[in-house]
Amino acid sequence: MKPPVRSASVPRIAARQAGIALIAMVAFLGIVAAVFVVRSLNADTLAAGQHQRTAEALQAAREALLAYAATDANRPGALPCPDIDGDGQSLPGVEYTGSGCQSYIGRLPWRLLRIPELRDASGELLWYALSPEFRDAGPLAGSPPFVNPDTPAVLTIAGLPGTFGAILFAPGQALQQQARSGPGANALVNYLDGVNATPTLVFSAGLPGPAFNDRLLPVSGTELVAIAERRVSREVTAALTAYFDQYRFLPSPAEFADVQCVNADFVPPNGCLPVPGVLAGRLPGSVSPAEAYSLPGSPWPNSALLRGESVLPAQYDLAWFQLQRWREHVVYIVSPNCVGPPATNCTAGTLRLRGAAGTVDDARFAVLMAGPAGPGQVRTSPADKSTFVNYLEGTALSAAQALAGGTVPTQIMVPGGTIVAAPRTN
């Protein structure tokens, strides 16, 4: 009897089945991998979206603070006290105590800033730390701080250069030990992490981890001062322009060394007088034609900002220029043909300014903001404040010194970074 014959197709069928199984396995693994990749991409996309949402909230808050600093009625450059009870406000008797803040770290007072309720990606309100000297404390209680180019910013972030006037915080999701409801709803330690949760001047922007997820965005003191200087330069320019429109001439500057212009809440009567022949110096305090030039007529009724005279406390906003010591930081330059009384042929000025901010060929006057003290500049004593050297540098310094002596340079080169207002002839 013949042995059974094994068909050759059997191994081929087995091989085919094994191949199909292998293909199925590869396909299955591919599907698993694809699902993993899609989930990973979704997680990355979600994380990126959350990061962006938080970044946008911080940036919106930063812009709101800068806008507040630019428009503050009596302390350009100042910022409100942080909100300590979560109502979005910053109120006398609550956030304000005397002339200071109840706390220099708290939530962002979004209602006071007139912005929407800003939250980070975890849904938490933003927090905010303030450098004490930049506070906008109420003017009627105690002695308010000076906010001007000499105001020190004292907040720092570990590992970052410079000092900051304010720092914004996105607290992120609550960590294991943080309870954000009930008695701890407004407690700093339940929102910020590490050194950020202690009242201090030094903060951390560490990497995210199990014990830290704060995100920070600072506002430098230099930036707040620059914003204030732009505001001040506009205010002074408007006051001088109004003076010229009324009298058709401009006052001479006071001598830069005149101590009656500085270190006082108010300019003394008949103090800080304009000096004929001086073309660069302090903005004079006595600018009424009747007072400064012994001309007939009533005192000039307009800008208290220029006069720096005493006013009632309720009228503080009329004298902030003097009270915040801004007269110390303005260098006033005037064209010789526009100084009076009377002005001689002042259809156009003769001042020619060149600088990063642009070119002006026919300015009647110019206002230079001195900015923060640079290396070697000291502004402590009246003697320190009596010299251009402690306020200006380079070509601006040499031009001011020449103009103070009555000489007009062919052109005035203004260094980059110097805020200058030089309106063209109307």
Side-chain angles (χ1 to χ4, degrees):
M1 191 172 177
K2 293 182 180 179
V5 178
R6 186 177 296 274
S7 172
S9 64
V10 172
R12 284 198 294 270
I13 292 172
R16 187 180 300 116
Q17 290 174 338
I20 292 171
L22 179 61
I23 292 172
M25 179 61 71
V26 171
F28 174 75
L29 292 175
I31 292 170
V32 171
V35 170
F36 178 79
V37 169
V38 168
R39 287 181 177 176
S40 296
L41 290 174
N42 287 342
D44 290 344
T45 301
L46 178 61
Q50 291 175 333
H51 184 90
Q52 181 65 21
R53 179 179 171 185
T54 296
E56 289 173 354
L58 288 168
Q59 185 60 36
R62 187 176 188 277
E63 291 172 1
L65 288 176
L66 295 177
Y68 184 96
T71 57
D72 189 286
N74 52 43
R75 284 184 190 80
L79 296 174
C81 291
D83 167 23
I84 63 172
D85 57 9
D87 65 357
Q89 294 284 11
S90 187
L91 302 172
V94 183
E95 281 75 21
Y96 288 96
T97 173
S99 63
C101 297
Q102 185 70 32
S103 173
Y104 288 97
I105 184 167
R107 289 188 178 90
L108 182 74
W110 57 273
R111 291 185 190 273
L112 178 70
L113 297 173
R114 299 182 180 181
I115 59 174
E117 190 180 43
L118 296 174
R119 295 179 181 270
D120 65 14
S122 69
E124 294 292 348
L125 291 168
L126 302 184
W127 287 64
Y128 155 64
L130 175 64
S131 187
E133 293 302 309
F134 278 94
R135 68 188 184 275
D136 183 23
L140 307 183
S143 299
F146 301 153
V147 179
N148 61 40
D150 289 339
T151 300
V154 296
L155 303 184
T156 61
I157 298 176
L160 293 183
T163 55
F164 304 103
I167 301 174
L168 289 155
F169 302 85
Q173 293 183 340
L175 301 178
Q176 186 174 3
Q177 71 276 14
Q178 294 175 330
R180 296 178 176 177
S181 60
N186 295 312
L188 179 64
V189 294
N190 288 329
Y191 294 87
L192 302 188
D193 313 322
V195 298
N196 298 344
T198 60
T200 180
L201 301 179
V202 181
F203 297 90
S204 172
L207 295 174
F212 188 93
N213 63 358
D214 296 345
R215 289 188 59 191
L216 282 61
L217 185 64
V219 179
S220 73
T222 301
E223 191 171 16
L224 291 172
V225 167
I227 285 174
E229 285 188 308
R230 293 187 189 98
R231 158 84 178 282
V232 172
S233 67
R234 289 194 300 268
E235 297 267 7
V236 172
T237 297
L240 288 170
T241 299
Y243 186 100
F244 181 84
D245 290 344
Q246 181 170 349
Y247 294 110
R248 309 312 297 174
F249 71 86
L250 290 162
S252 300
E255 290 185 338
F256 204 78
D258 188 343
V259 296
Q260 294 187 92
C261 299
V262 300
N263 287 322
D265 288 345
F266 304 104
V267 173
N270 298 315
C272 194
L273 294 170
V275 178
V278 172
L279 301 177
R282 302 281 186 198
L283 192 69
S286 297
V287 292
S288 168
E291 297 169 358
Y293 300 106
S294 301
L295 294 179
S298 59
W300 188 48
N302 293 325
S303 178
L305 180 143
L306 293 184
R307 294 199 303 266
E309 63 185 17
S310 177
V311 295
L312 297 173
Q315 297 175 304
Y316 185 98
D317 59 323
L318 297 178
W320 59 264
F321 179 79
Q322 182 72 22
L323 292 172
Q324 297 299 308
R325 304 294 193 264
W326 279 103
R327 199 178 300 271
E328 298 179 9
H329 301 278
V330 172
V331 177
Y332 167 47
I333 298 172
V334 65
S335 175
N337 67 317
C338 295
V339 171
T344 58
N345 190 27
C346 189
T347 55
T350 61
L351 299 177
R352 291 173 171 79
L353 289 93
R354 303 286 185 271
T359 297
V360 180
D361 286 324
D362 54 3
R364 292 188 178 113
F365 68 89
V367 174
L368 273 62
M369 305 304 301
Q377 292 178 329
V378 180
R379 302 171 181 174
T380 304
S381 69
D384 298 333
K385 298 177 181 182
S386 68
T387 173
F388 287 114
V389 172
N390 286 325
Y391 290 87
L392 298 178
E393 309 84 27
T395 52
L397 171 61
S398 58
Q401 290 171 328
L403 285 156
T407 300
V408 183
T410 303
Q411 61 182 7
I412 301 170
M413 298 296 297
V414 181
T418 301
I419 294 174
V420 58
R424 289 175 169 79
T425 301
N426 295 333

PDB file of all heavy atoms in Angstrom, residues 274-310:
ATOM      1  N   PRO A 274      12.914 133.204  35.862  1.00  0.00           N
ATOM      2  CA  PRO A 274      13.609 133.157  34.568  1.00  0.00           C
ATOM      3  C   PRO A 274      14.743 134.176  34.546  1.00  0.00           C
ATOM      4  O   PRO A 274      14.637 135.254  35.138  1.00  0.00           O
ATOM      5  CB  PRO A 274      12.507 133.507  33.565  1.00  0.00           C
ATOM      6  CG  PRO A 274      11.456 134.208  34.344  1.00  0.00           C
ATOM      7  CD  PRO A 274      11.530 133.661  35.739  1.00  0.00           C
ATOM      8  N   VAL A 275      15.834 133.820  33.873  1.00  0.00           N
ATOM      9  CA  VAL A 275      17.015 134.688  33.817  1.00  0.00           C
ATOM     10  C   VAL A 275      17.291 135.064  32.366  1.00  0.00           C
ATOM     11  O   VAL A 275      17.609 134.192  31.550  1.00  0.00           O
ATOM     12  CB  VAL A 275      18.248 133.982  34.425  1.00  0.00           C
ATOM     13  CG1 VAL A 275      19.472 134.881  34.319  1.00  0.00           C
ATOM     14  CG2 VAL A 275      17.983 133.596  35.871  1.00  0.00           C
ATOM     15  N   PRO A 276      17.162 136.355  32.009  1.00  0.00           N
ATOM     16  CA  PRO A 276      17.449 136.775  30.634  1.00  0.00           C
ATOM     17  C   PRO A 276      18.856 136.373  30.205  1.00  0.00           C
ATOM     18  O   PRO A 276      19.810 136.469  30.987  1.00  0.00           O
ATOM     19  CB  PRO A 276      17.297 138.300  30.696  1.00  0.00           C
ATOM     20  CG  PRO A 276      16.374 138.540  31.843  1.00  0.00           C
ATOM     21  CD  PRO A 276      16.711 137.470  32.852  1.00  0.00           C
ATOM     22  N   GLY A 277      18.981 135.893  28.987  1.00  0.00           N
ATOM     23  CA  GLY A 277      20.278 135.485  28.450  1.00  0.00           C
ATOM     24  C   GLY A 277      20.569 134.010  28.631  1.00  0.00           C
ATOM     25  O   GLY A 277      21.433 133.458  27.948  1.00  0.00           O
ATOM     26  N   VAL A 278      19.871 133.353  29.551  1.00  0.00           N
ATOM     27  CA  VAL A 278      20.022 131.911  29.757  1.00  0.00           C
ATOM     28  C   VAL A 278      19.063 131.195  28.816  1.00  0.00           C
ATOM     29  O   VAL A 278      17.860 131.466  28.813  1.00  0.00           O
ATOM     30  CB  VAL A 278      19.734 131.525  31.218  1.00  0.00           C
ATOM     31  CG1 VAL A 278      19.710 130.015  31.384  1.00  0.00           C
ATOM     32  CG2 VAL A 278      20.778 132.135  32.145  1.00  0.00           C
ATOM     33  N   LEU A 279      19.589 130.283  28.008  1.00  0.00           N
ATOM     34  CA  LEU A 279      18.766 129.589  27.020  1.00  0.00           C
ATOM     35  C   LEU A 279      18.550 128.116  27.353  1.00  0.00           C
ATOM     36  O   LEU A 279      17.818 127.426  26.635  1.00  0.00           O
ATOM     37  CB  LEU A 279      19.397 129.710  25.627  1.00  0.00           C
ATOM     38  CG  LEU A 279      19.582 131.142  25.105  1.00  0.00           C
ATOM     39  CD1 LEU A 279      20.289 131.134  23.753  1.00  0.00           C
ATOM     40  CD2 LEU A 279      18.238 131.861  25.005  1.00  0.00           C
ATOM     41  N   ALA A 280      19.165 127.624  28.423  1.00  0.00           N
ATOM     42  CA  ALA A 280      18.934 126.248  28.875  1.00  0.00           C
ATOM     43  C   ALA A 280      19.063 126.217  30.386  1.00  0.00           C
ATOM     44  O   ALA A 280      20.008 126.788  30.950  1.00  0.00           O
ATOM     45  CB  ALA A 280      19.933 125.280  28.251  1.00  0.00           C
ATOM     46  N   GLY A 281      18.111 125.598  31.052  1.00  0.00           N
ATOM     47  CA  GLY A 281      18.147 125.522  32.498  1.00  0.00           C
ATOM     48  C   GLY A 281      16.892 124.849  33.017  1.00  0.00           C
ATOM     49  O   GLY A 281      16.302 123.990  32.367  1.00  0.00           O
ATOM     50  N   ARG A 282      16.468 125.251  34.214  1.00  0.00           N
ATOM     51  CA  ARG A 282      15.260 124.707  34.814  1.00  0.00           C
ATOM     52  C   ARG A 282      14.021 125.349  34.185  1.00  0.00           C
ATOM     53  O   ARG A 282      14.070 126.482  33.705  1.00  0.00           O
ATOM     54  CB  ARG A 282      15.219 124.993  36.312  1.00  0.00           C
ATOM     55  CG  ARG A 282      16.377 124.457  37.103  1.00  0.00           C
ATOM     56  CD  ARG A 282      16.237 122.985  37.374  1.00  0.00           C
ATOM     57  NE  ARG A 282      17.298 122.505  38.267  1.00  0.00           N
ATOM     58  CZ  ARG A 282      17.623 121.242  38.403  1.00  0.00           C
ATOM     59  NH1 ARG A 282      16.982 120.311  37.716  1.00  0.00           N
ATOM     60  NH2 ARG A 282      18.581 120.872  39.226  1.00  0.00           N
ATOM     61  N   LEU A 283      12.937 124.641  34.238  1.00  0.00           N
ATOM     62  CA  LEU A 283      11.660 125.233  33.898  1.00  0.00           C
ATOM     63  C   LEU A 283      11.322 126.222  35.010  1.00  0.00           C
ATOM     64  O   LEU A 283      11.243 125.843  36.185  1.00  0.00           O
ATOM     65  CB  LEU A 283      10.588 124.155  33.815  1.00  0.00           C
ATOM     66  CG  LEU A 283       9.255 124.544  33.205  1.00  0.00           C
ATOM     67  CD1 LEU A 283       9.412 124.811  31.718  1.00  0.00           C
ATOM     68  CD2 LEU A 283       8.218 123.462  33.449  1.00  0.00           C
ATOM     69  N   PRO A 284      11.161 127.522  34.701  1.00  0.00           N
ATOM     70  CA  PRO A 284      10.963 128.510  35.766  1.00  0.00           C
ATOM     71  C   PRO A 284       9.619 128.318  36.453  1.00  0.00           C
ATOM     72  O   PRO A 284       8.642 127.906  35.842  1.00  0.00           O
ATOM     73  CB  PRO A 284      11.034 129.848  35.031  1.00  0.00           C
ATOM     74  CG  PRO A 284      10.631 129.523  33.626  1.00  0.00           C
ATOM     75  CD  PRO A 284      11.136 128.136  33.366  1.00  0.00           C
ATOM     76  N   GLY A 285       9.578 128.661  37.748  1.00  0.00           N
ATOM     77  CA  GLY A 285       8.338 128.557  38.485  1.00  0.00           C
ATOM     78  C   GLY A 285       7.524 129.829  38.420  1.00  0.00           C
ATOM     79  O   GLY A 285       6.298 129.791  38.416  1.00  0.00           O
ATOM     80  N   SER A 286       8.176 130.975  38.383  1.00  0.00           N
ATOM     81  CA  SER A 286       7.480 132.256  38.271  1.00  0.00           C
ATOM     82  C   SER A 286       7.494 132.677  36.812  1.00  0.00           C
ATOM     83  O   SER A 286       8.507 133.161  36.301  1.00  0.00           O
ATOM     84  CB  SER A 286       8.165 133.309  39.143  1.00  0.00           C
ATOM     85  OG  SER A 286       8.089 132.950  40.498  1.00  0.00           O
ATOM     86  N   VAL A 287       6.369 132.469  36.145  1.00  0.00           N
ATOM     87  CA  VAL A 287       6.332 132.726  34.703  1.00  0.00           C
ATOM     88  C   VAL A 287       5.261 133.732  34.319  1.00  0.00           C
ATOM     89  O   VAL A 287       5.127 134.069  33.153  1.00  0.00           O
ATOM     90  CB  VAL A 287       6.079 131.411  33.919  1.00  0.00           C
ATOM     91  CG1 VAL A 287       7.267 130.486  34.027  1.00  0.00           C
ATOM     92  CG2 VAL A 287       4.819 130.716  34.411  1.00  0.00           C
ATOM     93  N   SER A 288       4.500 134.241  35.299  1.00  0.00           N
ATOM     94  CA  SER A 288       3.518 135.258  34.974  1.00  0.00           C
ATOM     95  C   SER A 288       4.236 136.528  34.550  1.00  0.00           C
ATOM     96  O   SER A 288       5.170 136.985  35.212  1.00  0.00           O
ATOM     97  CB  SER A 288       2.648 135.562  36.197  1.00  0.00           C
ATOM     98  OG  SER A 288       1.886 136.728  35.981  1.00  0.00           O
ATOM     99  N   PRO A 289       3.851 137.116  33.424  1.00  0.00           N
ATOM    100  CA  PRO A 289       4.514 138.361  32.996  1.00  0.00           C
ATOM    101  C   PRO A 289       4.504 139.430  34.075  1.00  0.00           C
ATOM    102  O   PRO A 289       5.472 140.161  34.245  1.00  0.00           O
ATOM    103  CB  PRO A 289       3.695 138.779  31.769  1.00  0.00           C
ATOM    104  CG  PRO A 289       3.155 137.504  31.224  1.00  0.00           C
ATOM    105  CD  PRO A 289       2.863 136.660  32.423  1.00  0.00           C
ATOM    106  N   ALA A 290       3.401 139.512  34.841  1.00  0.00           N
ATOM    107  CA  ALA A 290       3.336 140.529  35.880  1.00  0.00           C
ATOM    108  C   ALA A 290       4.345 140.261  36.986  1.00  0.00           C
ATOM    109  O   ALA A 290       4.938 141.189  37.551  1.00  0.00           O
ATOM    110  CB  ALA A 290       1.919 140.587  36.461  1.00  0.00           C
ATOM    111  N   GLU A 291       4.590 138.973  37.296  1.00  0.00           N
ATOM    112  CA  GLU A 291       5.491 138.622  38.385  1.00  0.00           C
ATOM    113  C   GLU A 291       6.937 138.516  37.917  1.00  0.00           C
ATOM    114  O   GLU A 291       7.857 139.057  38.532  1.00  0.00           O
ATOM    115  CB  GLU A 291       5.054 137.290  38.996  1.00  0.00           C
ATOM    116  CG  GLU A 291       3.667 137.321  39.623  1.00  0.00           C
ATOM    117  CD  GLU A 291       3.160 135.934  39.967  1.00  0.00           C
ATOM    118  OE1 GLU A 291       3.877 134.959  39.676  1.00  0.00           O
ATOM    119  OE2 GLU A 291       2.051 135.832  40.514  1.00  0.00           O
ATOM    120  N   ALA A 292       7.138 137.818  36.828  1.00  0.00           N
ATOM    121  CA  ALA A 292       8.507 137.525  36.404  1.00  0.00           C
ATOM    122  C   ALA A 292       9.164 138.682  35.673  1.00  0.00           C
ATOM    123  O   ALA A 292      10.395 138.817  35.708  1.00  0.00           O
ATOM    124  CB  ALA A 292       8.512 136.290  35.506  1.00  0.00           C
ATOM    125  N   TYR A 293       8.352 139.502  35.006  1.00  0.00           N
ATOM    126  CA  TYR A 293       8.938 140.548  34.178  1.00  0.00           C
ATOM    127  C   TYR A 293       8.463 141.942  34.557  1.00  0.00           C
ATOM    128  O   TYR A 293       8.727 142.914  33.851  1.00  0.00           O
ATOM    129  CB  TYR A 293       8.596 140.289  32.702  1.00  0.00           C
ATOM    130  CG  TYR A 293       9.121 138.953  32.212  1.00  0.00           C
ATOM    131  CD1 TYR A 293       8.261 137.891  32.011  1.00  0.00           C
ATOM    132  CD2 TYR A 293      10.482 138.774  31.974  1.00  0.00           C
ATOM    133  CE1 TYR A 293       8.739 136.661  31.572  1.00  0.00           C
ATOM    134  CE2 TYR A 293      10.964 137.552  31.534  1.00  0.00           C
ATOM    135  CZ  TYR A 293      10.087 136.494  31.343  1.00  0.00           C
ATOM    136  OH  TYR A 293      10.559 135.283  30.922  1.00  0.00           O
ATOM    137  N   SER A 294       7.753 142.042  35.682  1.00  0.00           N
ATOM    138  CA  SER A 294       7.278 143.340  36.180  1.00  0.00           C
ATOM    139  C   SER A 294       6.472 144.093  35.130  1.00  0.00           C
ATOM    140  O   SER A 294       6.563 145.318  34.997  1.00  0.00           O
ATOM    141  CB  SER A 294       8.465 144.207  36.646  1.00  0.00           C
ATOM    142  OG  SER A 294       9.171 143.551  37.672  1.00  0.00           O
ATOM    143  N   LEU A 295       5.693 143.350  34.366  1.00  0.00           N
ATOM    144  CA  LEU A 295       4.826 143.967  33.363  1.00  0.00           C
ATOM    145  C   LEU A 295       3.450 144.210  33.973  1.00  0.00           C
ATOM    146  O   LEU A 295       3.019 143.492  34.870  1.00  0.00           O
ATOM    147  CB  LEU A 295       4.692 143.065  32.140  1.00  0.00           C
ATOM    148  CG  LEU A 295       5.968 142.842  31.328  1.00  0.00           C
ATOM    149  CD1 LEU A 295       5.682 141.921  30.161  1.00  0.00           C
ATOM    150  CD2 LEU A 295       6.529 144.160  30.829  1.00  0.00           C
ATOM    151  N   PRO A 296       2.754 145.228  33.493  1.00  0.00           N
ATOM    152  CA  PRO A 296       1.408 145.476  34.012  1.00  0.00           C
ATOM    153  C   PRO A 296       0.465 144.336  33.634  1.00  0.00           C
ATOM    154  O   PRO A 296       0.680 143.629  32.656  1.00  0.00           O
ATOM    155  CB  PRO A 296       1.001 146.790  33.331  1.00  0.00           C
ATOM    156  CG  PRO A 296       1.838 146.843  32.090  1.00  0.00           C
ATOM    157  CD  PRO A 296       3.140 146.194  32.449  1.00  0.00           C
ATOM    158  N   GLY A 297      -0.566 144.197  34.434  1.00  0.00           N
ATOM    159  CA  GLY A 297      -1.545 143.157  34.137  1.00  0.00           C
ATOM    160  C   GLY A 297      -1.656 142.184  35.287  1.00  0.00           C
ATOM    161  O   GLY A 297      -0.821 142.164  36.206  1.00  0.00           O
ATOM    162  N   SER A 298      -2.678 141.377  35.242  1.00  0.00           N
ATOM    163  CA  SER A 298      -2.919 140.417  36.310  1.00  0.00           C
ATOM    164  C   SER A 298      -2.008 139.206  36.143  1.00  0.00           C
ATOM    165  O   SER A 298      -1.509 138.939  35.049  1.00  0.00           O
ATOM    166  CB  SER A 298      -4.380 139.969  36.282  1.00  0.00           C
ATOM    167  OG  SER A 298      -4.684 139.373  35.030  1.00  0.00           O
ATOM    168  N   PRO A 299      -1.781 138.455  37.223  1.00  0.00           N
ATOM    169  CA  PRO A 299      -0.937 137.252  37.115  1.00  0.00           C
ATOM    170  C   PRO A 299      -1.495 136.272  36.092  1.00  0.00           C
ATOM    171  O   PRO A 299      -2.705 136.184  35.884  1.00  0.00           O
ATOM    172  CB  PRO A 299      -0.982 136.665  38.531  1.00  0.00           C
ATOM    173  CG  PRO A 299      -1.326 137.815  39.408  1.00  0.00           C
ATOM    174  CD  PRO A 299      -2.215 138.700  38.598  1.00  0.00           C
ATOM    175  N   TRP A 300      -0.577 135.523  35.498  1.00  0.00           N
ATOM    176  CA  TRP A 300      -0.975 134.542  34.486  1.00  0.00           C
ATOM    177  C   TRP A 300      -1.902 133.519  35.124  1.00  0.00           C
ATOM    178  O   TRP A 300      -1.553 132.858  36.111  1.00  0.00           O
ATOM    179  CB  TRP A 300       0.279 133.874  33.928  1.00  0.00           C
ATOM    180  CG  TRP A 300       0.044 132.995  32.749  1.00  0.00           C
ATOM    181  CD1 TRP A 300      -0.683 133.285  31.632  1.00  0.00           C
ATOM    182  CD2 TRP A 300       0.553 131.686  32.556  1.00  0.00           C
ATOM    183  NE1 TRP A 300      -0.661 132.231  30.753  1.00  0.00           N
ATOM    184  CE2 TRP A 300       0.090 131.234  31.290  1.00  0.00           C
ATOM    185  CE3 TRP A 300       1.352 130.826  33.308  1.00  0.00           C
ATOM    186  CZ2 TRP A 300       0.396 129.981  30.784  1.00  0.00           C
ATOM    187  CZ3 TRP A 300       1.663 129.583  32.806  1.00  0.00           C
ATOM    188  CH2 TRP A 300       1.195 129.170  31.552  1.00  0.00           C
ATOM    189  N   PRO A 301      -3.105 133.324  34.597  1.00  0.00           N
ATOM    190  CA  PRO A 301      -4.085 132.495  35.297  1.00  0.00           C
ATOM    191  C   PRO A 301      -4.003 131.012  34.976  1.00  0.00           C
ATOM    192  O   PRO A 301      -4.769 130.237  35.523  1.00  0.00           O
ATOM    193  CB  PRO A 301      -5.413 133.074  34.770  1.00  0.00           C
ATOM    194  CG  PRO A 301      -5.090 133.506  33.369  1.00  0.00           C
ATOM    195  CD  PRO A 301      -3.662 134.001  33.413  1.00  0.00           C
ATOM    196  N   ASN A 302      -3.098 130.630  34.096  1.00  0.00           N
ATOM    197  CA  ASN A 302      -3.170 129.276  33.567  1.00  0.00           C
ATOM    198  C   ASN A 302      -2.372 128.263  34.380  1.00  0.00           C
ATOM    199  O   ASN A 302      -2.627 128.063  35.542  1.00  0.00           O
ATOM    200  CB  ASN A 302      -2.750 129.268  32.093  1.00  0.00           C
ATOM    201  CG  ASN A 302      -3.757 130.012  31.229  1.00  0.00           C
ATOM    202  OD1 ASN A 302      -4.944 129.982  31.488  1.00  0.00           O
ATOM    203  ND2 ASN A 302      -3.275 130.701  30.215  1.00  0.00           N
ATOM    204  N   SER A 303      -1.376 127.647  33.783  1.00  0.00           N
ATOM    205  CA  SER A 303      -0.841 126.376  34.261  1.00  0.00           C
ATOM    206  C   SER A 303      -0.223 126.413  35.658  1.00  0.00           C
ATOM    207  O   SER A 303       0.838 126.980  35.887  1.00  0.00           O
ATOM    208  CB  SER A 303       0.214 125.870  33.279  1.00  0.00           C
ATOM    209  OG  SER A 303       0.773 124.677  33.755  1.00  0.00           O
ATOM    210  N   ALA A 304      -0.907 125.757  36.601  1.00  0.00           N
ATOM    211  CA  ALA A 304      -0.315 125.538  37.918  1.00  0.00           C
ATOM    212  C   ALA A 304       0.873 124.604  37.815  1.00  0.00           C
ATOM    213  O   ALA A 304       1.752 124.609  38.670  1.00  0.00           O
ATOM    214  CB  ALA A 304      -1.355 124.964  38.876  1.00  0.00           C
ATOM    215  N   LEU A 305       0.906 123.794  36.769  1.00  0.00           N
ATOM    216  CA  LEU A 305       2.035 122.891  36.570  1.00  0.00           C
ATOM    217  C   LEU A 305       3.326 123.691  36.429  1.00  0.00           C
ATOM    218  O   LEU A 305       4.346 123.373  37.039  1.00  0.00           O
ATOM    219  CB  LEU A 305       1.804 122.028  35.332  1.00  0.00           C
ATOM    220  CG  LEU A 305       2.904 121.018  34.981  1.00  0.00           C
ATOM    221  CD1 LEU A 305       2.277 119.743  34.433  1.00  0.00           C
ATOM    222  CD2 LEU A 305       3.883 121.572  33.966  1.00  0.00           C
ATOM    223  N   LEU A 306       3.307 124.761  35.642  1.00  0.00           N
ATOM    224  CA  LEU A 306       4.504 125.577  35.492  1.00  0.00           C
ATOM    225  C   LEU A 306       4.779 126.391  36.755  1.00  0.00           C
ATOM    226  O   LEU A 306       5.928 126.537  37.169  1.00  0.00           O
ATOM    227  CB  LEU A 306       4.355 126.522  34.294  1.00  0.00           C
ATOM    228  CG  LEU A 306       4.303 125.896  32.898  1.00  0.00           C
ATOM    229  CD1 LEU A 306       4.259 126.984  31.835  1.00  0.00           C
ATOM    230  CD2 LEU A 306       5.491 124.993  32.658  1.00  0.00           C
ATOM    231  N   ARG A 307       3.728 126.903  37.373  1.00  0.00           N
ATOM    232  CA  ARG A 307       3.948 127.796  38.515  1.00  0.00           C
ATOM    233  C   ARG A 307       4.474 127.039  39.720  1.00  0.00           C
ATOM    234  O   ARG A 307       5.260 127.574  40.496  1.00  0.00           O
ATOM    235  CB  ARG A 307       2.629 128.488  38.878  1.00  0.00           C
ATOM    236  CG  ARG A 307       2.110 129.447  37.799  1.00  0.00           C
ATOM    237  CD  ARG A 307       1.093 130.418  38.397  1.00  0.00           C
ATOM    238  NE  ARG A 307      -0.025 129.737  39.020  1.00  0.00           N
ATOM    239  CZ  ARG A 307      -1.183 129.468  38.402  1.00  0.00           C
ATOM    240  NH1 ARG A 307      -1.330 129.798  37.131  1.00  0.00           N
ATOM    241  NH2 ARG A 307      -2.163 128.879  39.051  1.00  0.00           N
ATOM    242  N   GLY A 308       3.995 125.793  39.918  1.00  0.00           N
ATOM    243  CA  GLY A 308       4.436 125.040  41.088  1.00  0.00           C
ATOM    244  C   GLY A 308       4.020 125.679  42.386  1.00  0.00           C
ATOM    245  O   GLY A 308       4.687 125.540  43.403  1.00  0.00           O
ATOM    246  N   GLU A 309       2.879 126.399  42.377  1.00  0.00           N
ATOM    247  CA  GLU A 309       2.477 127.127  43.569  1.00  0.00           C
ATOM    248  C   GLU A 309       1.697 126.227  44.523  1.00  0.00           C
ATOM    249  O   GLU A 309       1.248 125.140  44.171  1.00  0.00           O
ATOM    250  CB  GLU A 309       1.626 128.331  43.181  1.00  0.00           C
ATOM    251  CG  GLU A 309       0.313 127.945  42.504  1.00  0.00           C
ATOM    252  CD  GLU A 309      -0.454 129.162  42.024  1.00  0.00           C
ATOM    253  OE1 GLU A 309       0.151 130.234  41.913  1.00  0.00           O
ATOM    254  OE2 GLU A 309      -1.647 129.024  41.759  1.00  0.00           O
ATOM    255  N   SER A 310       1.518 126.714  45.733  1.00  0.00           N
ATOM    256  CA  SER A 310       0.805 125.955  46.743  1.00  0.00           C
ATOM    257  C   SER A 310      -0.672 125.856  46.395  1.00  0.00           C
ATOM    258  O   SER A 310      -1.283 126.816  45.932  1.00  0.00           O
ATOM    259  CB  SER A 310       0.964 126.630  48.108  1.00  0.00           C
ATOM    260  OG  SER A 310       0.227 125.943  49.087  1.00  0.00           O
TER     261      SER A 310
END
